[in-house]
Amino acid sequence: MLRIDVVTIFPELFEPFRAVGVLGGAIERGLLSLAAHDLRRWTRDRHRTVDDIPYGGGPGMVMKPEPLVEAAEELAGPKHPLRVARVLLLAPQGARFHQAKAAALARESHLVLLCGRYEGVDQRASELAADEELSIGDYVVSGGEAPAMVVIEAVSRLLPGVLGNPESSAAESFQQGALEAPHYTRPAEFRGCAVPEVLRSGDHGRIRAWRATQSKVRTQRRRPDLQAAPCQTGEQ
């Protein structure tokens, strides 16, 4: 079972998230444990302060290091040398999250995800609390909660037994550094657009060859960068 702890100032966001779909089923079957913790639990002042004005001036507020570091140490142990979990800080400046990284994280036994907010996180929190920083893309959102959910979704799908058909994840986009072939279902014709004959042929050899070709063509046209990026298929 993979244990995931999320540290956030909005733990209530994760209650509906953990209750539905593939994720909810994995938790119900004991394949995954997911808990969201209020960062304010690790504050020590009566106002439960988690942010302050930035040194050097500038807009916005910065998340204080003390609560984040103490939360990580309580949930995962000190960074050196007794850490029992992998601590990830969701941050725009982090390494790009991709399918191979999701597969690597799925092999861990315990993950702790730290969700930043406001203008950013005090650099000392990253250095003292996090084992690495992760970004889900080259854009900015209001906090680390949505990125944390993306990471949890991607990782949990790769846990043994989570998906009903174990071949489902193996054939998905990015799993082999390529996009999936197009999908079709009934009806066989819709508004003048027909399902390709090969998919209705019953010839599984032809179908596999067609899907392999379509995957290659789609990747070349839409995401040629995937074929030139070894990190998508093997780098961790």
Side-chain angles (χ1 to χ4, degrees):
M1 181 181 73
L2 172 62
R3 173 185 169 186
I4 301 179
D5 287 293
V6 182
V7 179
T8 168
I9 62 172
F10 296 118
E12 64 273 15
L13 291 177
F14 290 84
E15 288 308 308
F17 173 69
R18 70 190 301 278
V20 299
V22 170
L23 190 66
I27 293 172
E28 188 174 306
R29 299 200 305 276
L31 302 173
L32 175 70
S33 167
L34 174 60
H37 307 272
D38 190 343
L39 177 63
R40 298 185 193 280
R41 169 182 154 193
W42 286 277
T43 58
R44 298 185 178 182
D45 66 304
R46 65 188 180 93
H47 299 293
R48 305 179 76 197
T49 306
V50 297
D51 62 309
D52 209 333
I53 57 174
Y55 275 111
M61 304 290 279
V62 174
M63 295 194 79
K64 295 167 62 65
E66 307 99 303
L68 286 165
V69 172
E70 292 183 14
E73 290 179 344
E74 180 175 325
L75 294 169
K79 190 169 182 179
H80 300 291
L82 302 175
R83 178 146 287 180
V84 296
R86 188 149 195 84
V87 180
L88 309 171
L89 173 64
L90 284 307
Q93 67 272 13
R96 180 77 67 86
F97 183 63
H98 49 67
Q99 190 69 9
K101 185 63 180 179
L105 294 177
R107 294 191 288 271
E108 298 281 347
S109 60
H110 186 188
L111 300 175
V112 176
L113 308 183
L114 305 179
C115 300
R117 274 273 159 178
Y118 310 117
E119 194 65 26
V121 171
D122 187 297
Q123 180 61 28
R124 292 166 295 180
S126 176
E127 294 172 358
L128 296 172
D131 295 306
E132 60 182 306
E133 297 181 354
L134 279 185
S135 167
I136 63 167
D138 297 339
Y139 48 87
V140 177
V141 293
S142 295
E145 288 76 18
M149 291 179 186
V150 169
V151 172
I152 293 167
E153 279 272 1
V155 170
S156 63
R157 292 173 61 83
L158 299 176
L159 297 176
V162 168
L163 298 181
N165 185 341
E167 294 182 4
S168 296
S169 62
E172 289 179 328
S173 290
F174 310 112
Q175 194 65 18
Q176 301 298 327
L179 301 179
E180 283 185 90
H183 296 290
Y184 295 88
T185 187
R186 287 177 281 194
E189 186 171 332
F190 177 68
R191 296 190 178 182
C193 299
V195 174
E197 180 276 332
V198 63
L199 296 179
R200 295 178 282 134
S201 69
D203 186 330
H204 296 295
R206 286 182 61 205
I207 291 171
R208 283 194 297 271
W210 181 87
R211 285 176 171 161
T213 298
Q214 292 297 314
S215 173
K216 183 177 180 180
V217 170
R218 178 179 272 191
T219 304
Q220 288 175 337
R221 289 178 177 173
R222 301 185 181 184
R223 292 293 305 277
D225 57 297
L226 290 179
Q227 297 178 321
C231 66
Q232 298 296 332
T233 55
E235 181 183 306
Q236 299 175 10

